[in-house]
Amino acid sequence: MNNSISVKVKDRSSFLFYFVCYLFVVIVAVISLIPFLMLISGSFTSEHAIRFSGYSLIPKEWSLSAYELIFKTPMTVIHAYGVSILITVAGTAIGLFVTTMAAYVISRKDFKYRNVLSFFFYFTTLFNGGMLSTYIFYIRYYHLKDSLWALIIPGLFNVFYLLIMRSFVSSVPSALIESAEIDGAGEYRTFFQIILPLLQSGLATIGLFIALGYWNDWYNAMLYINSTDKYPLQYMLYTLMQKTEAMSRIASSAGIPVMDMPTQSLKMAMAVVATGPIVLVYPFVQKYFVKGITIGSVKG
Amino acid sequence: MYKGGLAVERYLKPVNYRRRKYAALLSMAAPAIVLAVAFAYFPMSGLVLAFKNYRFDRGVFGSAWNGFENFRYLFQSGTGWLITRNTVLYNLLNLFTSQALAILIAIFITEINNMIFRKVSQSVIFLPYFISWVIVGTFVYNIFNYETGALNTMLKSMNLSPVNVYSKPGAWPWIICFFNAWKWAGYNSVIYIAAITGIDSEPYEAAEIDGATISQRIWYITMPGILPTVITMLLLQVGRILRGDFEMFYQIVGNNGQLFNATDVIDTYVFRSLLQNSNLGMTAAASLYQSVLCFAIIMVVNAVVKRIDSDYALF
């Protein structure tokens, strides 16, 4: 008797728990998704509807004019895409190379200076020169103003990725390295022919982290790039946001009808064009990010 | 342990052999070392600008010294206190809200047995991590701008008068806190989900047999189980307490002078004076003060933690 009551109470409390549990997760998921839906909806809404009734979750008047405007003069977008792809591909390739070799070296237990070297890298995360002196060094001493290298160099080397990579390398049995040495392979040969082929999932994980950083970067472009033909996609989007805001402000204060110019929906359409590739590849690469974050959180 | 190399070679020239091997390994790490020296260690010397009257034509080392003038200006003008206070308060607020949200998400998601629901919801919650702050800035504009924002659209449709959020500084700490939690919820919950799945299953089975309720199970097994992770995450963030997430603040707030009192952090202040090429002395002082204090805080916290329980120490 007593038992059955307690079971009932337990059932009721677990039902309540699962109700709260699902409800919470659904709410968080919906909130995570809504801004994306509003963005897409905004890009397909006619300028007229946005002006009179604002943004909404479902377009009040459908329109493709924003996308038509973007693809009528596609060269700007294509060019910015080109810059973004160039820095992402070059930066990821060089960054992976630099990171993996350094990670291999500091993971070698028979390397006398590995602790010194690890601390030498780690120290840069504890103390740094800050935004101002970094900027001055890039501009004045390395002459990187308006150079694409100013977009590539900052993302090449990251201590957090180095540490994640080191644990990938450490998972390769050290007996492999030793036997390669006994067979007379040099250090470079051991690395490129024995270790590197076994690091595929580590390379994919770190490569994707580096690539995401490059793709989403706008900050370095803002600091260092002057010529519009070197703007990467994210920064182009940012300047467009600023420009259309200024444009519509000027136009409305001068009494010029801006109705026909799809400035509002254009912003949203550009944001969709810039985010599209990430959302498309996201389902396929998500697991690598989960893996990297998990390893990073264990190793600190 | 076998140290490598042909036995004969090692016997003949052990020192030379080892030297050659170390040289080869160092040369492999050379690109990373060069990058660290050129782009992290050299710029540290630029911190001396805090004690100088910087002129671009004279460079870091040619500019004249001016003692503690820059610091005096920074703190007498009130700017120093303001941006320090904002940075610390925002970091504390963001730290607690985003970690608490991530822990809740992780606990609830791991309790869900329906794998499809679990996978899909986790993917959706993780998505904001992948988009740039520029896009988040677009979202903020999309929701809050006065004429066409979704918030005012909603208010108008309910016959309420629209609000101009951009002239209400008090609202921004919450907006920033919301978007910070929103962007990092998925990323942080991945860490906590990993911690929860790493907990030994035996106590859970014992609790099941003893008839513990779900909430008891969470409170007495899951929470203590993820405590080490929580502490590590807090420690990592404490070391960054004086560093504002520049990209977030800049994209959400922008260069909106009306909101500076409520939203200006050290990093946005430095960046603005860099772009406008003004107050560089005060900026250098703020930069040095930030770097040195951050370093000191990490060292102290790490030393204290090491004394209490060396397992939690960062290094």
Side-chain angles (χ1 to χ4, degrees):
Chain A
M1 180 70 187
N2 238 344
N3 238 341
S4 78
I5 288 175
S6 93
V7 166
K8 257 184 202 156
V9 169
K10 207 179 136 189
D11 275 355
R12 208 184 300 144
S13 86
S14 75
F15 173 77
L16 193 70
F17 175 83
Y18 281 115
F19 181 73
V20 172
C21 174
Y22 275 86
L23 189 69
F24 181 82
V25 173
V26 166
I27 288 174
V28 174
V30 166
I31 292 176
S32 299
L33 210 53
I34 276 185
F36 291 93
L37 298 178
M38 283 183 44
L39 190 73
I40 295 169
S41 148
S43 73
F44 284 110
T45 311
S46 76
E47 194 65 13
H48 176 265
I50 296 177
R51 293 254 156 222
F52 281 99
S53 39
Y55 289 113
S56 54
L57 208 51
I58 297 153
K60 290 211 176 75
E61 282 172 32
W62 287 82
S63 157
L64 285 171
S65 57
Y67 288 98
E68 275 165 14
L69 193 69
I70 290 178
F71 292 108
K72 209 183 272 172
T73 50
M75 274 329 285
T76 6
V77 179
I78 291 174
H79 200 91
Y81 250 100
V83 173
S84 280
I85 290 171
L86 176 72
I87 60 167
T88 304
V89 171
T92 307
I94 306 172
L96 260 185
F97 187 69
V98 172
T99 309
T100 315
M101 284 209 302
Y104 171 70
V105 173
I106 60 169
S107 76
R108 283 285 296 263
K109 292 203 177 61
D110 53 343
F111 180 51
K112 195 171 154 194
Y113 308 108
R114 67 191 279 253
N115 285 330
V116 180
L117 199 57
S118 301
F119 190 76
F120 171 81
F121 290 135
Y122 187 65
F123 185 74
T124 60
T125 65
L126 300 178
F127 190 74
N128 60 60
M131 197 186 275
L132 175 67
S133 49
T134 307
Y135 175 79
I136 292 171
F137 269 76
Y138 268 75
I139 298 281
R140 204 189 131 86
Y141 297 103
Y142 302 136
H143 306 289
L144 289 170
K145 185 91 195 173
D146 211 26
S147 152
L148 281 182
W149 284 109
L151 302 181
I152 293 176
I153 288 170
L156 283 183
F157 185 64
N158 177 314
V159 176
F160 182 63
Y161 302 156
L162 176 77
L163 296 178
I164 297 177
M165 200 55 168
R166 185 181 63 180
S167 38
F168 274 108
V169 180
S170 301
S171 66
V172 176
S174 59
L176 276 178
I177 300 172
E178 285 157 24
S179 59
E181 275 197 313
I182 294 169
D183 291 345
E187 294 301 335
Y188 279 88
R189 197 161 162 179
T190 311
F191 176 72
F192 283 107
Q193 292 193 345
I194 312 284
I195 304 298
L196 215 49
L198 295 172
L199 284 180
Q200 276 167 11
S201 93
L203 290 171
T205 304
I206 300 303
L208 286 167
F209 269 104
I210 299 177
L212 182 67
Y214 279 115
W215 186 264
N216 279 344
D217 179 50
W218 56 277
Y219 162 71
N220 290 303
M222 185 168 197
L223 277 182
Y224 303 114
I225 300 299
N226 292 332
S227 4
T228 43
D229 63 335
K230 288 177 188 159
Y231 282 1
L233 199 52
Q234 302 291 337
Y235 187 57
M236 197 194 112
L237 172 63
Y238 174 74
T239 52
L240 184 88
M241 291 285 296
Q242 304 299 314
K243 234 184 289 172
T244 50
E245 216 166 308
M247 222 154 62
S248 63
R249 210 180 301 138
I250 293 164
S252 63
S253 67
I256 301 166
V258 277
M259 299 302 174
D260 315 326
M261 172 83 182
T263 48
Q264 298 292 331
S265 52
L266 183 67
K267 283 181 190 180
M268 301 304 142
M270 269 304 296
V272 170
V273 169
T275 322
I278 290 188
V279 176
L280 288 182
V281 297
Y282 172 65
F284 307 102
V285 300
Q286 189 199 352
K287 62 171 192 269
Y288 291 105
F289 283 93
V290 170
K291 195 170 188 175
I293 295 167
T294 308
I295 291 173
S297 71
V298 174
K299 286 280 162 182
Chain B
M1 197 184 114
Y2 182 63
K3 289 281 187 188
L6 286 172
V8 181
E9 205 179 352
R10 220 157 61 93
Y11 173 73
L12 288 174
K13 282 180 181 173
V15 177
N16 254 349
Y17 173 77
R18 216 173 296 155
R19 201 176 290 158
R20 263 215 318 275
K21 178 165 123 181
Y22 291 167
L25 285 172
L26 268 181
S27 76
M28 294 176 97
I33 296 173
V34 169
L35 282 173
V37 168
F39 297 101
Y41 280 93
F42 280 173
M44 285 177 197
S45 65
L47 287 172
V48 297
L49 284 179
F51 307 104
K52 289 189 163 202
N53 185 10
Y54 180 66
R55 278 180 46 183
F56 189 79
D57 53 324
R58 291 201 180 158
V60 173
F61 306 103
S63 297
W65 296 94
N66 72 349
F68 283 89
E69 280 300 287
N70 293 330
F71 290 93
R72 217 166 55 92
Y73 279 125
L74 179 66
F75 286 96
Q76 269 181 0
S77 67
T79 314
W81 299 120
L82 178 74
I83 57 182
T84 307
R85 186 203 69 181
N86 283 350
T87 312
V88 171
L89 288 182
Y90 271 108
N91 275 328
L92 288 177
L93 179 67
N94 288 343
L95 174 62
F96 288 115
T97 50
S98 67
Q99 299 299 330
L101 179 66
I103 292 170
L104 271 180
I105 292 171
I107 287 175
F108 284 151
I109 276 189
T110 46
E111 288 291 338
I112 288 172
N113 293 321
N114 182 335
M115 283 319 274
I116 297 172
F117 180 84
R118 191 169 153 171
K119 280 247 161 68
V120 170
S121 57
Q122 207 191 336
S123 296
V124 170
I125 295 170
F126 197 16
L127 186 61
Y129 167 72
F130 291 84
I131 57 158
S132 74
W133 280 109
V134 179
I135 305 289
V136 180
T138 318
F139 291 162
V140 173
Y141 174 82
N142 192 315
I143 298 169
F144 293 113
N145 88 76
Y146 184 71
E147 283 101 20
T148 59
L151 177 70
N152 283 342
T153 307
M154 214 171 70
L155 288 175
K156 277 183 234 165
S157 74
M158 293 188 301
N159 283 328
L160 297 166
S161 53
V163 271
N164 188 0
V165 183
Y166 285 90
S167 63
K168 289 197 165 44
W172 287 87
W174 308 109
I175 294 172
I176 288 169
C177 168
F178 175 84
F179 277 99
N180 177 70
W182 180 81
K183 193 152 192 320
W184 291 105
Y187 182 97
N188 288 331
S189 60
V190 166
I191 296 172
Y192 289 114
I193 288 171
I196 292 173
T197 32
I199 299 173
D200 195 13
S201 65
E202 252 174 53
Y204 285 111
E205 285 154 17
E208 186 79 17
I209 293 164
D210 291 348
T213 62
I214 300 174
S215 42
Q216 281 173 329
R217 206 174 66 208
I218 289 172
W219 188 251
Y220 292 106
I221 306 172
T222 310
M223 288 305 261
I226 60 171
L227 192 63
T229 313
V230 177
I231 293 176
T232 310
M233 298 287 282
L234 291 182
L235 284 180
L236 280 172
Q237 291 303 312
V238 162
R240 300 186 46 85
I241 193 118
L242 281 173
R243 297 204 183 278
D245 185 344
F246 170 77
E247 297 200 16
M248 170 173 77
F249 282 94
Y250 199 75
Q251 288 299 345
I252 292 184
V253 182
N255 261 331
N256 191 335
Q258 265 183 310
L259 302 175
F260 283 162
N261 271 347
T263 61
D264 214 8
V265 291
I266 298 177
D267 300 78
T268 48
Y269 172 76
V270 171
F271 183 78
R272 214 173 40 247
S273 55
L274 229 169
L275 275 195
Q276 296 159 354
N277 209 13
S278 61
N279 296 329
L280 282 186
M282 270 160 70
T283 304
S287 243
L288 176 76
Y289 156 79
Q290 180 187 41
S291 286
V292 171
L293 225 54
C294 263
F295 182 62
I297 291 171
I298 296 177
M299 295 316 265
V300 168
V301 167
N302 194 56
V304 171
V305 171
K306 218 171 196 166
R307 273 207 113 146
I308 299 170
D309 187 344
S310 60
D311 283 348
Y312 291 120
L314 295 174
F315 50 89

